[in-house]
Amino acid sequence: MQGLADSFWRAAAYCLHPRVIALSLLPLLIAGVLVFGFMYFFWEGAVAGVRATLESWLLIESLLQWLDTMGLQSFRSALSALVVLAGVLPVVVVLSLLLVALCMTPAIVGLVAQRRFTLLERKRGGTLLQSIATSLGATVIALVLILLSMPLWLIPPLVMVLPPLIWGWLAYRVFGFDVLAEHASADERRTLLREHRIPMLTMGVICGYLGAAPSLIWAVSALTIVLAPFVVLLAIWLYTLVFAFSTAWFTHYALAALQARRAAEPVAESAVVMEV
């Protein structure tokens, strides 16, 4: 528990580092181009399609007609836009995670290692292709779980539990591999991920809850729908900062665990020799 708290505060301090802040702008730029491309080419069609689908459902149409009688005719378009945004935001989260993993994680791991773990040997037990395969595989599984669990989000307690659990598992799988790929051997990485599964899953779930915070900006005002492209960009940047913090947190914790494990190995070998 002490290791979790120590690495947490160290990671929080690293998020204020100018280099980390500058790195957070690169995924923002890439994701921004993709988001504005979607808004320009597909936004109106997606909203119109969702609106037509909702109006074809008798229950939803009855609700919308009742809202019309209450003078809330604009709610039809707003509801359609909200549904589209609800579908886009999970993709934005996953996209941000992948961009951080590819663009920011190596730089943050190198920064932490340079400042705190200068003597830690690099055994390079993970390759870039393995990292990409691990990230894509875990991402596909997470997206499937999100889609399957969406109906359960209508149950108030579960909407506060299921998404963070899924994001937590995804963060554990992606960051757990990436932060150890450079310094740990393949055997060391597998052993550490197995021995520290519970703490790292806990870290992932906490990061999942932190990642849900940027979504609250959509609840501020209906104006967020009108300014959707800019609000999405703001959300992406906040997600990026959360994931940058997550990367730093996993890096501090995992490299400290790796350093402690290697320091304990000579002691264990000496004990075995003495027994023989």
Side-chain angles (χ1 to χ4, degrees):
M1 199 63 190
Q2 182 179 359
L4 284 179
D6 178 71
S7 55
F8 179 92
W9 294 115
R10 289 179 182 272
Y14 269 68
C15 287
L16 301 177
H17 194 283
R19 185 177 177 185
V20 175
I21 295 175
L23 285 171
S24 69
L25 299 177
L26 178 59
L28 176 64
L29 177 62
I30 298 174
V33 172
L34 296 178
V35 167
F36 273 102
F38 170 81
M39 293 293 182
Y40 182 80
F41 290 105
F42 303 107
W43 176 257
E44 293 184 0
V47 172
V50 169
R51 180 173 180 175
T53 302
L54 292 176
E55 291 176 348
S56 66
W57 295 350
L58 295 179
L59 181 61
I60 300 296
E61 177 60 20
S62 299
L63 174 61
L64 292 175
Q65 288 179 358
W66 176 78
L67 291 173
D68 289 343
T69 61
M70 301 294 293
L72 299 175
Q73 294 87 350
S74 61
F75 187 76
R76 287 177 179 266
S77 299
L79 178 61
S80 302
L82 287 174
V83 172
V84 174
L85 289 173
V88 170
L89 281 179
V91 179
V92 169
V93 174
V94 173
L95 175 63
S96 300
L97 177 57
L98 289 177
L99 289 173
V100 169
L102 294 175
C103 302
M104 294 183 66
T105 298
I108 292 177
V109 172
L111 179 63
V112 173
Q114 180 183 3
R115 294 167 64 94
R116 188 183 175 194
F117 301 99
T118 54
L119 300 180
L120 190 62
E121 181 184 356
R122 299 170 184 255
K123 295 189 176 182
R124 297 178 172 83
T127 65
L128 177 60
L129 290 178
Q130 288 177 321
S131 175
I132 294 174
T134 299
S135 299
L136 290 178
T139 299
V140 170
I141 294 175
L143 287 175
V144 171
L145 291 175
I146 288 171
L147 292 175
L148 293 177
S149 65
M150 273 186 174
L152 299 176
W153 294 10
L154 299 175
I155 304 174
L158 295 182
V159 74
M160 299 298 296
V161 175
L162 292 179
L165 285 178
I166 295 173
W167 299 135
W169 176 84
L170 180 59
Y172 159 70
R173 292 292 300 173
V174 173
F175 292 134
F177 183 97
D178 287 346
V179 302
L180 290 169
E182 179 70 13
H183 291 81
S185 65
D187 290 337
E188 286 176 329
R189 185 186 69 249
R190 285 190 288 266
T191 300
L192 286 171
L193 291 178
R194 183 178 65 254
E195 293 179 347
H196 296 268
R197 179 182 290 112
I198 300 302
M200 287 189 174
L201 279 174
T202 301
M203 294 163 61
V205 171
I206 293 174
C207 293
Y209 278 107
L210 292 176
S215 302
L216 297 178
I217 62 178
W218 298 103
V220 175
S221 170
L223 187 61
T224 56
I225 299 176
V226 179
L227 302 176
F230 303 99
V231 178
V232 168
L233 283 182
L234 175 60
I236 290 174
W237 188 61
L238 293 176
Y239 283 129
T240 302
L241 288 179
V242 169
F243 291 139
F245 164 79
S246 304
T247 303
W249 193 9
F250 272 88
T251 302
H252 278 288
Y253 182 87
L255 293 188
L258 177 62
Q259 182 173 261
R261 178 178 178 79
R262 289 181 181 174
E265 286 177 352
V267 177
E269 293 175 358
S270 301
V272 171
V273 171
M274 292 179 63
E275 289 179 1
V276 173

